[in-house]
Amino acid sequence: MDHEESQSDSSRPAKRARTLACKRCRHRKQKCDESRPCRNCRKSGEECVATEPAPRGHAEGEYIRALEERIAELEALDPQQSLDHIQRRSSLLNNARAQLADHQSRPSASTLERPESNGIAGPAPSEVVSESPGDFHAAVSPASTARSAANTRVSNMSNEAQLRHVSNLGLDDDSDLDHLILGLVTSPAALVAQLPLEVEELLLDAYHERAQAQYPFFHWDTFLFWHSTWKTCPPSDYGRQAWKGFFVNMVYATALLLIPRVGKFDSQIFYRQGVTLLPSVLRQGDHILQIQAYLVMAMHALHRSSTDRIMSLSSTVIRYCVQAQFHLAEMEPEPINATIHLENQLRRRTFWCAYKLDRLAAFSFDLPPSIPDSTITTKVYANVEDSDLLQLAAATPVDVDIPDSLGYTCVSPSLHIIQCRRIQSEILGFTLHWNYATQFESSPEWRIRILTELNNWKSQVQTFSDSRSKGYTSQRWLAMIYHYTLVMLYRPTKQNVIGPAGDFAVQASSQACLMFRKTQMDRQIAQPWLGLLVQFQAGITLLYCFWATPPQYRTENYDSPDVSDALRACSNILAIMADRWPKADCLRDVFELLAREIPLVDRPSRPPVRISDKSATKLRQALPDVRRLIVHRIVMRMIEEMIEDDFPRPKSTPLQTVSSIPGPRESAMRESIMPTPQLSRPPPSPPPTHMTFEMPFSAPQFYSIDGANAFDAEMPSFPGIFDYDSWT
């Protein structure tokens, strides 16, 4: 029976394809026959143009792939190891599955504007009109208002051809995005991607916990108000509200980079749509809004593999602040009411976030800061919870600053980071000075001052921090910045590595690598591009110390188990991040080659002479790519010395290891190469007795070795590991 039915089915004639009317008949509503040209067109002598069939509905392959990856990640997640401890609802997985099924079965939207759609369709640039936000800073809605709206609407690309182009890009290809920053964009289409409420909350929480915590240039309740009003505004109001759409799209784009394995394709789409709305922000008359726009673009850039964009945006935003005179306290408006109190706080927040970003780039690439510290007079922003800021602004009298909270708040970690960036800026004032090599390199005075400031900062962090916090607000993250600063303070060379420079660099580099790897393993941080570069620098510094220091001059810290663990951690970090950013393969390969060639323990019978010719050839070939990514001249100098020079080993000296406190023989051996003062630990600084985040550091002073500003002081020993685990 089944055989007969199958024969009957196979003998049926094939279904005849439906013929569409030609364009002329379709327009005139005439019956069109199947011939081409048709009878009507032949009689009228007109050209017969066939009508193309409508495309069948489909979901974008890359979007489906991103959703599938997200479902797999949610299924594998340990509830105790959530993304930076962001709270997820139990229904998120089911909603993601439903969203995937919905996208697979629903035709894609392609009309330019769909008032009946519940997606946020960004207007074309010609439709965007200027709107003054007025006192938008004080227009605040509770977080629950922003979270309760039902559907998020986000417009993404200009047409399907552009969408296919984006999907064909590499996962982290930034080559086609630079022109968008200048506003050379096409009209956005309403290709709608609807976000479930749970996914929307996940993105907002991710940005709040991983970007806002470090760079709080938004008053978060105000941003949630923008988010809510942009979601619910009618199509007729898109033009006036478009500046809010820019911030919503950019926060979503950045959040998708902050959460591992959640659709970079989507991040690119949100980024592109956001930049199309950038002109609407720039047309506002508010400098704070405009600086916030560049800052949120910089947050996105920090998690893309573009060294050039990070450097350009960091310098652009701080110079924009200077142009608006945000660095001058005397240019702040007089606080005659609550609105101006709040405006001044946001003015300070935008400036100091721009300052931190500029100093981060200067530290990471060994570049001069964009503005000298000595020209800055504005105060830091108040240590106040966002939820309390409006109430305090209303309660603060005229001509009185909003008081700091006496406890830990959401902005406390960012204020700690400002202090440490300020110390790093002071170090750069010395190391980038034109006369550094002859006047400051061997002088201990300015380093003693820096170490004192670092000890005071560490005490402040110990007193005013939350030991339970994770990720970018944790004591571990602040400890990493502390150790990076010590590496920056003592950059080893062949001349100074036998002494405090080598000993400090080994300990600080090891701790920085171990802490970053631990934080990465705990899934407490994203994968910032500068994190990759700084980890590479720490690993190279550690290898250089072993390359440049003969075993008989090494302290006990060279033999610490932390060293081998740190090198292994650095190797793992570079491998993981290179898997995300293929252009970082050269960094991983260079580090692996050098780690294989440089022994941690020299063999007495066969001391190393230089790295092998085969490895040297591979390293030379990789140097141009490394230099484009790293930029840092000191790190490049260390790599080039390890490639081209012999190991700095004495010709005939018995091998022995010196202790961290040198004896007479070891001291004489050290002084024969570079005399150094006797090491001694300074007395610990007492912790602060009250909560204050005023800048306690004066502008850099260039001490003269034999001048009146010089003072007698012994070189302190390594200030100690940032041992936050021992704090109570």
Side-chain angles (χ1 to χ4, degrees), residues 334-612:
E334 183 179 355
I336 58 176
N337 54 45
T339 300
I340 298 180
H341 267 304
L342 182 58
E343 179 183 341
N344 285 343
Q345 286 299 312
L346 289 173
R347 178 187 178 104
R348 296 176 188 178
R349 285 194 183 194
T350 53
F351 171 76
W352 285 111
C353 287
Y355 175 93
K356 283 194 293 184
L357 187 66
D358 180 73
R359 268 39 179 188
L360 173 63
F363 156 73
S364 301
F365 303 114
D366 197 43
L367 299 175
S370 298
I371 171 177
D373 290 351
S374 58
T375 65
I376 300 172
T377 60
T378 189
K379 297 181 179 180
V380 294
Y381 45 89
N383 180 50
V384 175
E385 289 283 355
D386 276 356
S387 57
D388 298 333
L389 190 54
L390 280 177
Q391 182 179 358
L392 285 173
T396 302
V398 176
D399 296 332
V400 177
D401 270 340
I402 293 177
D404 285 323
S405 170
L406 297 181
Y408 181 86
T409 72
C410 64
V411 298
S412 296
S414 67
L415 290 165
H416 287 312
I417 295 175
I418 289 176
Q419 303 282 42
C420 201
R421 297 294 181 212
R422 173 63 184 81
I423 298 174
Q424 292 176 351
S425 180
E426 191 171 0
I427 296 173
L428 288 172
F430 289 103
T431 58
L432 296 179
H433 191 266
W434 67 272
N435 204 23
Y436 170 76
T438 59
Q439 188 173 359
F440 303 115
E441 185 172 15
S442 59
S443 175
E445 288 89 352
W446 67 275
R447 287 192 174 92
I448 294 171
R449 177 185 171 199
I450 297 295
L451 289 173
T452 302
E453 292 174 358
L454 274 174
N455 279 327
N456 291 335
W457 179 79
K458 186 167 63 170
S459 299
Q460 187 183 55
V461 171
Q462 177 179 354
T463 307
F464 304 114
S465 60
D466 183 2
S467 60
R468 299 167 298 177
S469 61
K470 306 294 183 181
Y472 296 110
T473 63
S474 67
Q475 293 173 349
R476 183 191 293 163
W477 187 257
L478 297 173
M480 276 191 291
I481 300 176
Y482 167 85
H483 289 293
Y484 289 144
T485 307
L486 287 177
V487 176
M488 181 183 183
L489 182 63
Y490 284 97
R491 295 289 187 185
T493 65
K494 287 191 289 186
Q495 290 72 36
N496 70 8
V497 72
I498 303 176
D503 196 55
F504 277 42
V506 167
Q507 295 181 74
S509 297
S510 299
Q511 293 301 314
C513 291
L514 291 172
M515 289 180 179
F516 191 96
R517 179 59 183 147
K518 177 62 176 175
T519 308
Q520 187 185 55
M521 291 171 63
D522 290 344
R523 300 182 181 180
Q524 294 182 13
I525 60 172
Q527 297 185 24
W529 178 246
L530 291 186
L532 166 66
L533 302 186
V534 174
Q535 282 296 299
F536 177 79
Q537 295 171 15
I540 292 297
T541 301
L542 190 55
L543 290 174
Y544 181 85
C545 290
F546 279 86
W547 175 84
T549 308
Q552 60 268 30
Y553 302 126
R554 295 176 184 175
T555 66
E556 293 177 350
N557 294 306
Y558 282 78
D559 298 327
S560 170
D562 286 346
V563 171
S564 57
D565 290 345
L567 291 173
R568 184 164 52 252
C570 187
S571 177
N572 291 334
I573 292 166
L574 297 178
I576 291 171
M577 290 192 166
D579 186 58
R580 173 178 178 177
W581 291 306
K583 68 172 65 175
D585 286 351
C586 60
L587 304 182
R588 176 201 60 202
D589 296 342
V590 165
F591 180 82
E592 293 294 342
L593 280 172
L594 289 173
R596 187 177 65 184
E597 292 285 340
I598 297 172
L600 300 185
V601 178
D602 288 4
R603 288 182 293 178
S605 60
R606 190 180 175 184
V609 178
R610 61 183 304 129
I611 66 173
S612 67

Side-chain angles (χ1 to χ4, degrees), residues 140 145 160 303 475:
V140 177
T145 301
E160 291 186 4
H303 296 84
Q475 293 173 349

Side-chain angles (χ1 to χ4, degrees), residues 595-656:
R596 187 177 65 184
E597 292 285 340
I598 297 172
L600 300 185
V601 178
D602 288 4
R603 288 182 293 178
S605 60
R606 190 180 175 184
V609 178
R610 61 183 304 129
I611 66 173
S612 67
D613 293 339
K614 182 179 179 180
S615 295
T617 300
K618 292 180 179 179
L619 290 167
R620 292 188 192 99
Q621 293 172 349
L623 278 184
D625 293 333
V626 173
R627 185 175 286 106
R628 279 192 293 270
L629 300 181
I630 293 298
V631 179
H632 203 292
R633 61 188 179 88
I634 296 177
V635 175
M636 294 307 303
R637 184 260 302 164
M638 286 191 264
I639 295 174
E640 290 168 354
E641 286 183 9
M642 287 187 283
I643 295 174
E644 304 297 340
D645 297 350
D646 292 341
F647 281 71
R649 300 291 187 265
K651 297 301 182 181
S652 57
T653 305
L655 294 178
Q656 57 184 2

Side-chain angles (χ1 to χ4, degrees), residues 653-708:
T653 305
L655 294 178
Q656 57 184 2
T657 301
V658 298
S659 64
S660 57
I661 303 177
R665 173 180 172 83
E666 289 80 8
S667 297
M669 295 170 66
R670 288 190 179 197
E671 292 175 3
S672 65
I673 298 178
M674 189 194 74
T676 58
Q678 176 70 25
L679 301 181
S680 63
R681 184 180 299 276
S685 301
T689 57
H690 59 89
M691 186 66 158
T692 175
F693 284 102
E694 291 300 323
M695 303 300 265
F697 316 120
S698 60
Q701 300 178 17
F702 297 118
Y703 295 110
S704 172
I705 294 177
D706 55 355

